Amino acid sequence: DIQMTQSPSSLSASVGDRVTITCRASQSISRHLNWYQQKLGKAPKLLIYAASNLQSGVSSRFSGSGSGTDFTLTISSLQPEDFATYYCQQSHSSWTFGQGTKVEIK
Amino acid sequence: QVQLVQSGAEVKKPGASVKVSCKASGYTFTSYGISWVRQAPGQGLEWMGWISAYNDNTNYAQKFQGRVTVTTDTSTSTAYMELRSLRSDDTAVYYCARVSYYSDSSAYYYHFDYWGQGTLVTVSS
């Protein structure tokens, strides 16, 4: 099975900060990597698919990059509604999620 | 608009089974697959299984093999997830999600673009 490891597990940031979350796969997954945002008590929401493609309706302050084993999700200027938990997900071989990164208010 | 509406909360005893439904609307049901994902209290997301609504092909996470079955009823555009031999650590919110794809010149890339609202399953004696 492909394991996904996110870092950090949590971070504190201020509104307007640039935030970067990383995700590493245990083997190469090409660009088969998605990012989701989950707010407390809600279903996850797709942000980025195929490593760098922005889902329709998602703010352009979210961007994704990477291929192979190392990926990043960047929020260019953190907004109040962005405080949430973010998950990466590989889709190269079935599906596996990372453990999540909680973004909290500093 | 695309919607996935799940059945209501369940309380089950250890050893029992639960069957959660996921009714789809707003798209051609047989053109997409459905995956099931669960989330234990305070924990992360865990993929359980997938079914093609086109041909009923299935794929299950090894952890749940033999204990979970996902099915569809195309006449009602509804997917189902049945989990058997319930234990207390199966207490979780269970989500269905539509599996969509993007393709470029080299591959197909699958992702979960719409999700149900979640169904809380509580396993307690």
Side-chain angles (χ1 to χ4, degrees):
Chain A
D1 288 7
I2 298 174
Q3 307 301 317
M4 306 300 294
T5 304
Q6 289 181 231
S7 60
S9 295
S10 64
L11 64 90
S12 296
S14 301
V15 172
D17 284 354
R18 182 181 181 89
V19 169
T20 298
I21 298 168
T22 65
C23 180
R24 175 164 288 175
S26 59
Q27 65 187 72
S28 177
I29 57 170
S30 182
R31 295 172 54 82
H32 295 270
L33 192 284
N34 308 311
W35 290 97
Y36 299 85
Q37 175 194 66
Q38 187 181 32
K39 296 183 179 179
L40 199 63
K42 300 294 186 182
K45 173 186 174 182
L46 177 67
L47 299 176
I48 301 285
Y49 60 91
S52 62
N53 292 270
L54 191 68
Q55 172 68 352
S56 176
V58 173
S59 171
S60 58
R61 62 180 180 272
F62 291 95
S63 63
S65 65
S67 67
T69 60
D70 295 315
F71 302 85
T72 60
L73 173 70
T74 299
I75 309 172
S76 60
S77 177
L78 199 65
Q79 298 301 300
E81 60 268 31
D82 301 336
F83 292 96
T85 301
Y86 294 84
Y87 294 92
C88 64
Q89 177 203 45
Q90 68 82 18
S91 59
H92 181 270
S93 175
S94 297
W95 292 275
T96 314
F97 291 92
Q99 81 278 15
T101 295
K102 187 173 183 179
V103 177
E104 299 176 300
I105 301 173
K106 183 183 263 185
Chain B
Q1 73 282 22
V2 174
Q3 278 195 304
L4 299 175
V5 179
Q6 298 183 221
S7 49
E10 304 261 15
V11 179
K12 296 292 183 181
K13 293 194 182 303
S17 299
V18 68
K19 192 170 186 177
V20 179
S21 68
C22 170
K23 184 171 177 58
S25 61
Y27 71 97
T28 301
F29 184 67
T30 51
S31 294
Y32 295 83
I34 294 285
S35 264
W36 289 88
V37 175
R38 77 177 187 179
Q39 186 170 39
Q43 302 302 307
L45 302 170
E46 183 174 34
W47 175 74
M48 300 178 67
W50 163 87
I51 185 166
S52 164
Y54 173 71
N55 60 14
D56 280 345
N57 283 350
T58 56
N59 183 19
Y60 299 113
Q62 192 167 3
K63 173 177 179 177
F64 299 101
Q65 286 272 5
R67 208 160 66 92
V68 70
T69 302
V70 296
T71 55
T72 62
D73 180 347
T74 55
S75 69
T76 60
S77 299
T78 303
Y80 299 91
M81 185 282 299
E82 181 179 34
L83 187 61
R84 299 176 291 278
S85 302
L86 289 168
R87 308 184 288 255
S88 57
D89 62 357
D90 290 318
T91 294
V93 175
Y94 290 77
Y95 294 101
C96 62
R98 190 179 82 164
V99 181
S100 188
Y101 68 89
Y102 158 79
S103 64
D104 62 15
S105 57
S106 61
Y108 284 82
Y109 302 87
Y110 295 92
H111 48 271
F112 300 171
D113 62 349
Y114 289 92
W115 295 65
Q117 82 277 17
T119 296
L120 174 62
V121 175
T122 303
V123 183
S124 174
S125 54

